Amino acid sequence: MFSRQAMARILITSALPYINGIKHLGNLVGSQLPADLYARYCRARGHEVMFICATDEHGTPAELAAAKAGQPVAEYCAEMHGVQADLARGFGLSFDHFGRSSSPQNHRLTQHMAGRLAEAGLIEEVAEAQVYSPADGRFLPDRYITGTCPACGYENARGDQCENCTKQLDPTDLINPRSAISGATDLEVRRTKHLFLRQSALRDRLDAWIDSQRGWPVLTTSIAKKWLHDGDGLQDRGITRDLDWGIPVRRGTQDWPGMEGKVFYVWFDAPIEYIAATAEWAEAQGLPEDAWRRWWRRDQGAEDVRYVQFMGKDNVPFHTLSFPATLMGADHDGTEPWKLVDYIKSFNYLNYDGGQFSTSQGRGIFMDQALAILPSDYWRWWLLSHAPESADSEFTWENFQASVNKDLADVLGNFVSRVTKFCRARFGEALPEGGAWGAQETALATALGARIAAYEGHMEAIEIRKAAAELRAIWVLGNEYLQEAAPWATIKTDPERAAVQVRVGLNLIRLYAVLSRPFIPDAVETMMAAMGCADWSWPEDAGAALEGLAPGHGFSVPEVLFRKITDEERAGWAEQFAGSRG
RNA sequence: GGGCCUGUAGCUCAAUUGGUUAGAGCAGAGCGCUCAUAACGCUUUGGUUGGGGGUUCGAGUCCCUCCGGGCCUACCA
C-alpha cells in the first residue's frame, strides 16, 4: 500500500473484453468497472496512474461473429471496437488508453515475446491430430464439434464434455460427429504442428512467486494453486492455432519455419496487449518509446510501479500463470526485466434474477440497454456496492430499485436538495456570513475524519463493497448533522447559528462530490457545478474541508440529482429483460 | 470423479483470522422533525450462524460427517 501524501505510480489493467458483441453487466462489474473505481481513486489521491484496457479481438468466436454479421473479420472488429469504446465512455470508464489486441504494436511485441521464449528454450513444437472440417475450411476447436455422447446417448454433446452427463470427452469419442458451425459431417482428422509454452519448466518459480504475494484474494491464489498442483501439475499450453485472423507466428522478426499460416492463440497475445496498449497510448500521445517502457520495464523506470490487475475468476489462470511465465521467460538472460503484477483482484460472477447472465442467450442486461434506461451512475453505484467479491452475487430489479432510491435519491440526492433549497429560501444563493463553529460542527468534523480514514483504507485494500458502505455512511452523517442542527429552527432564534449550519451543509456537498467521484463521476460534476467550485483536492483534513467554501461564495440549486425508480418502471423492465435480447 | 468457494435476521451483506452479549443497510413497528426528491433523524422487533458430532477455558471461525447453492477441471474467451 502507498502511504498518505506520498505520490506513487500505479499501473492498472482491466481484463480485456472480448470483441464478440456487447458486454453485459456481469462482464462490466467483473473487471472494467472496479478497475475504473480504483483508477479514479488513485488519481484523486494524487498518484500517477496508467489505466489500460483493450478489446481482445482474436480467436474462433470473433471469426464466427464476423461471418454471421456478413463482414470481413477485420472490419467487424474495427466496428465492434468502436461500439465498445463508446459504451465504455458511456459508463465513465476512464481508461488512459483503450487499445486493440490486433494493433501493430501487439503484433510486434507478441512476436518478440515468442522469440525470447524460444531463445530460452521454453517453446516446444508438438505435432497433434486435430479435427478438420473441409466444409468450414477450418480446424474445429473441441467444443465446436457436436455429436452423440458415447456414455449417455445425449445427442448434442460437445467435443470437450457432455453437458448432459458431464463426462469429459475427446472429439473422436463422439458418435456421428458434426461441425457445430455448419453441421457438416465430413470431418477428418489431420496432423498439425503447434507451439507449446513450457510453463511446466517454470512451475516451481511460479509457485514461489505466488507464495511470496501477500493479501491476494483467496479466489486468486486458490485457482492458481489448483492449476499448479492438480494432477500432474502445471501443464504446457498450446499458444498457436490454425486460423487466419490473429498474429502470425514469427520468431521475433524472423520467420518460423513450419509455422506458416498459423497465428498465436488469443490467450498468448491478449495479456501482452496490456503492454502493447501502453505503447499504443504513447504513440497516440506523440511520446517516445520510453514513455511506455517506464511503466513496464524494471530497468527503465518501472521498479517503483505498483501494478494491479482486475478480472473475473475465469481469467485468473492466465494472469497468475501463463502471462507471468511469458514475462519471466522473456527475461531468461536478465536483459528484459518486465514488470510482473503486484496484486490481482479477482471477482466471482454476477447472476441475473435467478440465473446466469448469458451473452449467447441474450439473458440479462447489456451495457447499451442499461444506458438506454438510466444514467450510468445509477448502474455504477449498484454494481460496485454489490460487487461479487466474496461469492457470486445476484442482480434483481427489486434490489436495484431499493438501492438506487434509498442510497442515491434519498440519502445523497435529497441531502443536496434540502441544503441548497433551504439556503436559497432563507439566505439567498451564496454562503451566508456570520457565526462561529460550535460543538456540533466539531463533532461532525471528527466523525467525518474517522469515516473518511476508513473509506480510504477500504479503497486502498480494494474492498469495494466495504468502501461503498462507508461512503454511504459518510452521506448519512450529513443528514444526521442537519437533523440535530435544525437550521430551520435556529434561524428563528439565532440567525448567525443558522448561517454557520447552512455553510457547513453546503461545504458537505462539495466534500461529498470529491469523495464520491470514483463511484458516481457524472452526478458529482453536477454537485460541484452547483457549488460553483472546481477544487477537487482530497480532504486531508475534514475540518478544513468543511470551511473550504467561504462566506459569500455563490452557488445554485441543482436539478434533481437522482430520480426514483417507480414500481411501474421496475415491473416493466423486469418483464422486458426476462426473455432473450431483441 | 477430482478440486475450490459458499450457506449468518424476511432480503443483501459484516464479524479485526479462535476471544465478552454475532453486527450494518433494506424491509417491518413506534416516536420525532417539517429544510428537503412523502424525503430526514431517533428508538425498536427479528438469529439454535444449514443439520449433527468433535477439539478447546472459549467455535460463525478449526476438524469429521450429512444436506443445499455455485464455480473450475486446461481447445469458448
Side-chain angles (χ1 to χ4, degrees), chain A residues 7 43 58 81 108-109 189 235 261 306 308 331 361 368 371 407 448 463 473 556:
Chain A
M7 170 134 155
R43 290 191 196 105
H58 298 134
H81 174 82
R108 284 197 295 273
L109 191 58
V189 174
Q235 301 297 296
R306 174 172 162 79
V308 182
D331 187 36
Q361 294 169 36
D368 56 337
L371 290 179
D407 300 345
L448 276 172
E463 292 272 5
S556 60

Side-chain angles (χ1 to χ4, degrees), chain A residues 67-344:
Chain A
K68 190 176 174 188
Q71 286 177 294
V73 64
E75 192 179 296
Y76 172 82
C77 287
E79 190 175 314
M80 284 309 300
H81 174 82
V83 170
Q84 294 210 18
D86 284 345
L87 289 170
R89 267 191 293 278
F91 272 94
L93 304 179
S94 59
F95 306 130
D96 288 290
H97 188 73
F98 186 60
R100 302 181 60 187
S101 69
S102 60
S103 69
Q105 289 85 349
N106 198 35
H107 278 237
R108 284 197 295 273
L109 191 58
T110 297
Q111 291 165 344
H112 171 79
M113 290 292 185
R116 292 286 295 174
L117 290 166
E119 285 172 22
L122 291 170
I123 299 286
E124 187 176 12
E125 295 189 12
V126 177
E128 19 172 54
Q130 286 199 337
V131 174
Y132 184 83
S133 169
D136 295 302
R138 63 165 67 241
F139 282 92
L140 298 177
D142 288 358
R143 64 180 66 195
Y144 282 105
I145 303 161
T146 55
T148 302
C149 175
C152 71
Y154 178 63
E155 290 182 2
N156 288 312
R158 295 190 317 200
D160 56 338
Q161 183 174 34
C162 174
E163 287 172 317
N164 188 47
C165 69
T166 74
K167 183 178 172 57
Q168 287 187 52
L169 302 170
D170 191 85
T172 53
D173 296 337
L174 292 171
I175 301 164
N176 299 324
R178 59 186 185 278
S179 163
I181 299 165
S182 63
T185 55
D186 58 332
L187 307 182
E188 50 193 67
V189 174
R190 289 189 183 178
R191 309 258 333 148
T192 182
K193 199 160 63 172
H194 282 297
L195 300 183
F196 273 64
L197 174 61
R198 296 183 56 225
Q199 321 184 104
S200 58
L202 293 168
R203 189 182 82 157
D204 291 345
R205 208 169 143 194
L206 290 165
D207 204 12
W209 174 68
I210 301 278
D211 283 338
S212 73
Q213 305 304 327
R214 290 288 169 270
W216 282 16
V218 175
L219 187 64
T220 304
T221 48
S222 66
I223 291 172
K225 285 290 180 180
K226 149 88 170 159
W227 282 55
L228 278 167
H229 300 295
D230 189 46
D232 299 329
L234 186 61
Q235 301 297 296
D236 293 339
R237 196 173 180 90
I239 58 166
T240 56
R241 291 291 183 275
D242 289 289
L243 293 175
D244 298 323
W245 175 240
I247 297 176
V249 176
R250 293 176 71 84
R251 186 172 175 149
T253 55
Q254 309 296 310
D255 289 339
W256 203 313
M259 288 292 129
E260 295 80 8
K262 297 180 193 296
V263 299
F264 287 107
Y265 177 45
V266 282
W267 268 114
F268 185 66
D269 76 57
I272 294 171
E273 167 65 4
Y274 293 145
I275 306 173
T278 317
E280 292 171 41
W281 163 83
E283 195 168 311
Q285 302 290 314
L287 296 169
E289 289 265 307
D290 57 1
W292 68 264
R293 290 181 180 272
R294 65 188 281 272
W295 289 99
W296 287 101
R297 283 289 292 270
R298 299 198 312 278
D299 57 341
Q300 296 176 51
E303 196 62 72
D304 65 344
V305 166
R306 174 172 162 79
Y307 176 21
V308 182
Q309 294 175 339
F310 291 79
M311 69 198 67
K313 57 186 169 186
D314 50 337
N315 277 327
V316 168
F318 305 101
H319 289 81
T320 52
L321 303 170
S322 306
F323 186 42
T326 298
L327 297 181
M328 286 175 183
D331 187 36
H332 62 91
D333 56 3
T335 63
E336 292 193 9
W338 296 96
K339 176 68 192 170
L340 294 179
V341 67
D342 293 300
Y343 189 81
I344 296 180

